[in-house]
Amino acid sequence: MEQLKRNIAIVCGGDSSEHDVSLRSAQGLYSFFDKERYNVYIVDIKGQDWHVELPGGTTVSIDRNDFSFIENGKARLFDYAYITIHGTPGENGVLQGYFDLIGLPYSTSGVLVEAITFDKFVLNQYLKGYGVSVADSLLIRKGYEQLVSDEEVEQRIGMPCFVKPAADGSSFGISKVKNADQLAPAIRKAMMESPEVMVEAYLEGMEISQGCYKTRQKSVVLPATEVVSQNEFFDYDAKYNGQVQEITPARLSPEMAERVSKITSHIYDILHCNGIIRIDYIISPEGVISMLEVNTTPGMTATSFIPQQVRAAGLSMTDVLTDIVENQF
């Protein structure tokens, strides 16, 4: 019966440069959800404009007091929010805090975990304490750039290195810096996305990405994807304009695949994550597995890593999403 179906909000958009990418993830998720089981709506959030798309293509505003909306003259409440915002406010704990306040279950980890994983520098320092291998890095804050000299970067981090927004997605504002002359413009570029910038040592090796989710009944580590970019690194064009080769499962020995899977599961547990996460790594020629970042709202278009990995595991995205939703009830 209609009234027994849960109302699911796929919450997308956000205020970062990845707003439009998030809308594509929402469409992917909408196609995957079991419509026989759930009433599924797409909710687009941007600044103060929160609206829900109704059947037929019309949109109505969301009442932020309780995240409800009016449909056919009746107020509708959501039972669950599937967050697929890449960037603020859905990937940094802000939206999670709002949902906690109104008592609405959601798909991601909680406020603290989202805040930690969103800030790459903080995440690196945190996981380093648990023995996770990460690249050496330092932090530069807007207005305090003079505290870190080009010479210190060269001595501590070395060249080449990566300059990236510390607290934002991983598609915009990133530069691979090969000499000190390129540092200042790279820092300015990154600061257009985030007031904190991380300068990170370059790691040579194979780049892979691996998804994981856990429920009360199961722990699932998906087959890893090998990322072979035609560009200097896995930037926006590589991700979204096809300038990359994605190999799922990654070309890893059984022993290495097992090692990576154990680290992925361990990081999930250290952070006490919820829902699907995706962790990016570099595996050095010597076999050192270094974590690059933890993505708590991974892309969900049909060709994104997670749907690829779910297919490679012989699973159904529809069943995976149902598992994740029902785990909250």
Side-chain angles (χ1 to χ4, degrees):
M1 290 174 63
E2 179 75 13
Q3 62 265 35
L4 297 181
K5 292 164 73 171
R6 298 194 205 279
N7 293 327
I8 307 290
I10 299 174
V11 188
C12 62
D15 303 321
S16 80
S17 301
E18 293 189 78
H19 177 274
D20 291 351
V21 177
S22 170
L23 301 187
R24 300 211 293 270
S25 285
Q27 292 296 334
L29 283 163
Y30 187 86
S31 73
F32 297 138
F33 262 107
D34 185 348
K35 314 301 190 307
E36 295 297 314
R37 184 169 188 143
Y38 304 116
N39 300 313
V40 185
Y41 298 84
I42 292 178
V43 176
D44 188 349
I45 288 177
K46 188 171 177 65
Q48 298 300 303
D49 178 17
W50 294 26
H51 61 265
V52 58
E53 298 177 13
L54 299 180
T58 59
T59 63
V60 295
S61 295
I62 290 283
D63 182 344
R64 290 196 293 275
N65 289 300
D66 56 5
F67 206 62
S68 66
F69 64 100
I70 303 296
E71 184 178 19
N72 297 326
K74 292 183 180 178
R76 278 193 183 265
L77 287 166
F78 285 109
D79 300 297
Y80 184 89
Y82 197 102
I83 302 171
T84 190
I85 291 174
H86 310 312
T88 187
E91 205 171 9
N92 58 358
V94 173
L95 194 59
Q96 287 78 5
Y98 163 75
F99 285 142
D100 285 344
L101 283 171
I102 65 170
L104 184 67
Y106 51 85
S107 59
T108 68
S109 309
V111 173
L112 179 61
V113 177
E114 292 299 313
I116 289 173
T117 53
F118 190 64
D119 191 313
K120 301 178 185 72
F121 185 79
V122 170
L123 177 68
N124 279 14
Q125 307 316 306
Y126 184 75
L127 290 179
K128 202 189 296 183
Y130 286 88
V132 176
S133 174
V134 297
D136 193 17
S137 62
L138 53 80
L139 190 68
I140 300 173
R141 289 191 170 93
K142 198 167 198 169
Y144 298 90
E145 294 92 336
Q146 73 281 0
L147 296 180
V148 179
S149 66
D150 293 355
E151 292 74 23
E152 184 181 355
V153 171
E154 280 201 282
Q155 289 170 9
R156 271 196 51 193
I157 305 299
M159 295 287 170
C161 64
F162 283 105
V163 176
K164 58 179 74 171
D168 200 23
S170 53
S171 297
F172 293 91
I174 302 179
S175 303
K176 184 177 181 181
V177 171
K178 297 177 181 176
N179 59 64
D181 293 341
Q182 298 174 340
L183 270 173
I187 291 167
R188 283 196 299 272
K189 178 181 175 183
M191 281 185 177
M192 292 174 69
E193 302 291 333
S194 164
E196 294 187 342
V197 170
M198 182 165 76
V199 182
E200 185 177 55
Y202 172 72
L203 296 176
E204 183 73 48
M206 174 194 286
E207 182 168 353
I208 65 165
S209 190
Q210 183 165 53
C212 177
Y213 74 95
K214 300 190 181 191
T215 67
R216 289 185 294 272
Q217 283 79 34
K218 64 182 78 169
S219 173
V220 180
V221 181
L222 298 167
T225 297
E226 181 181 345
V227 182
V228 185
S229 178
Q230 298 169 22
N231 303 344
E232 287 233 56
F233 58 95
F234 192 43
D235 60 4
Y236 181 88
D237 281 331
K239 276 185 185 176
Y240 303 115
N241 294 330
Q243 297 173 11
V244 67
Q245 187 182 7
E246 300 166 4
I247 303 165
T248 309
R251 295 171 295 187
L252 300 172
S253 68
E255 295 77 18
M256 180 59 75
E258 178 68 17
R259 283 178 59 202
V260 176
S261 292
K262 282 184 175 176
I263 293 171
T264 297
S265 180
H266 185 46
I267 291 173
Y268 194 104
D269 292 340
I270 289 169
L271 294 170
H272 196 57
C273 289
N274 178 56
I276 301 179
I277 68 167
R278 200 193 75 227
I279 307 181
D280 300 338
Y281 302 96
I282 292 285
I283 303 175
S284 75
E286 297 75 34
V288 177
I289 304 165
S290 297
M291 186 219 67
L292 292 178
E293 66 176 282
V294 175
N295 190 325
T296 60
T297 60
M300 284 293 179
T301 68
T303 57
S304 295
F305 288 159
I306 293 297
Q308 281 185 48
Q309 294 173 11
V310 166
R311 287 193 296 272
L315 302 173
S316 149
M317 274 301 303
T318 299
D319 293 342
V320 168
L321 292 176
T322 299
D323 283 347
I324 288 167
V325 171
E326 294 305 318
N327 191 55
Q328 302 287 113
F329 296 99

